[in-house]
Amino acid sequence: MSAQEDTFISHLVELRDRLLRAVVAVIIIFAGLMPWAGDIYDILAHPMMQALPEGTRMIATGVVTPFFVPMKVTLMVAFVIALPYVLYQAWSFIAPGLYAHEKRLGLPLVVGSTVLFLAGMAFCYFFVFGTVFTFIAQFAPKSITPAPDIEQYLSFVMSMFLAFGITFEVPVIVIVLTKLGIVDVAKLKEARPYVIVGAFVVAAVVTPPDVVSQLMLAIPMCLLYELGIFLARFVTKTRADAVTE
């Protein structure tokens, strides 16, 4: 029991140290970016500003909102920049307890899921926001002047980033389910009609109530599902070869 307790405590100490390193990395990057917090928020707000009437600006209804909202955005950017190091710390803690075949699968999944999540955020920022904001602005009555609140805008942006980031994880989810033997390629193909319907239902729930944003989430989700099916064939083949050997 003493040896088990010592091992458990040593794991906790290592976990604490790696979490501390990850947090320190984020804080250091955040501190370095703080002088440009306003500029970073302006970059985030660029798609909205492009859709607003000329001369219109966003507003801040809270007293401290003009300070805290750019700080939140800067912290988010700092975390994204530090993400490779954070994931390295997580992998270094988990890897010693994995078998060789689990390591071969785990590292590509960690890297792939991270890249896909960031790709989802980039797709949302560069393609979705501009299209959605312009579409909404076209339907705004001429009698009003849109002036979005910066805190509500940040909340909207974060929810959209999360929705598209998770959506882009579909291939990883499909590959994991196939690798674990829960489903096979044939079942994935049979489930295609249900996935398409589910994609549009999810898009209707997590996106604004306009057709454009719903289509721009549902269509990539369906395409990524097809990509997952294509990649799952290689996973199935690899597993079959391993069993034969």
Side-chain angles (χ1 to χ4, degrees), residues 21-189:
R21 292 173 190 172
V23 171
V24 169
V26 174
I27 292 175
I28 290 175
I29 296 175
F30 173 69
L33 294 176
M34 278 186 62
W36 296 277
D39 296 328
I40 292 173
Y41 182 85
D42 288 340
I43 294 174
L44 184 67
H46 180 72
M48 172 61 78
M49 298 304 298
Q50 290 291 102
L52 291 176
E54 186 176 355
T56 305
R57 294 187 177 184
M58 302 175 72
I59 63 172
T61 56
V63 177
V64 295
T65 301
F67 173 78
F68 278 114
V69 170
M71 289 296 106
K72 290 178 182 178
V73 175
T74 305
L75 182 60
M76 178 187 71
V77 173
F79 177 77
V80 171
I81 294 175
L83 190 57
Y85 183 75
V86 173
L87 292 175
Y88 168 76
Q89 294 299 325
W91 178 254
S92 298
F93 177 75
I94 297 172
L98 300 177
Y99 293 107
H101 68 279
E102 292 174 335
K103 291 181 181 179
R104 288 196 298 268
L105 176 65
L107 185 57
L109 285 179
V110 170
V111 175
S113 60
T114 303
V115 172
L116 286 173
F117 192 91
L118 295 178
M121 294 177 61
F123 177 79
C124 185
Y125 178 83
F126 289 105
F127 297 101
V128 178
F129 284 162
T131 305
V132 170
F133 295 152
T134 302
F135 178 81
I136 294 175
Q138 291 175 350
F139 282 86
K142 302 298 182 181
S143 58
I144 67 170
T145 301
D149 177 67
I150 61 173
E151 194 165 15
Q152 293 180 354
Y153 176 74
L154 176 60
S155 177
F156 171 80
V157 166
M158 292 297 291
S159 63
M160 291 289 285
F161 277 160
L162 184 62
F164 277 85
I166 294 176
T167 296
F168 272 61
E169 298 294 329
V170 169
V172 174
I173 297 173
V174 172
I175 291 173
V176 170
L177 292 176
T178 306
K179 187 69 175 180
L180 295 177
I182 298 176
V183 296
D184 55 25
V185 175
K187 291 182 179 179
L188 291 172
K189 291 181 178 179

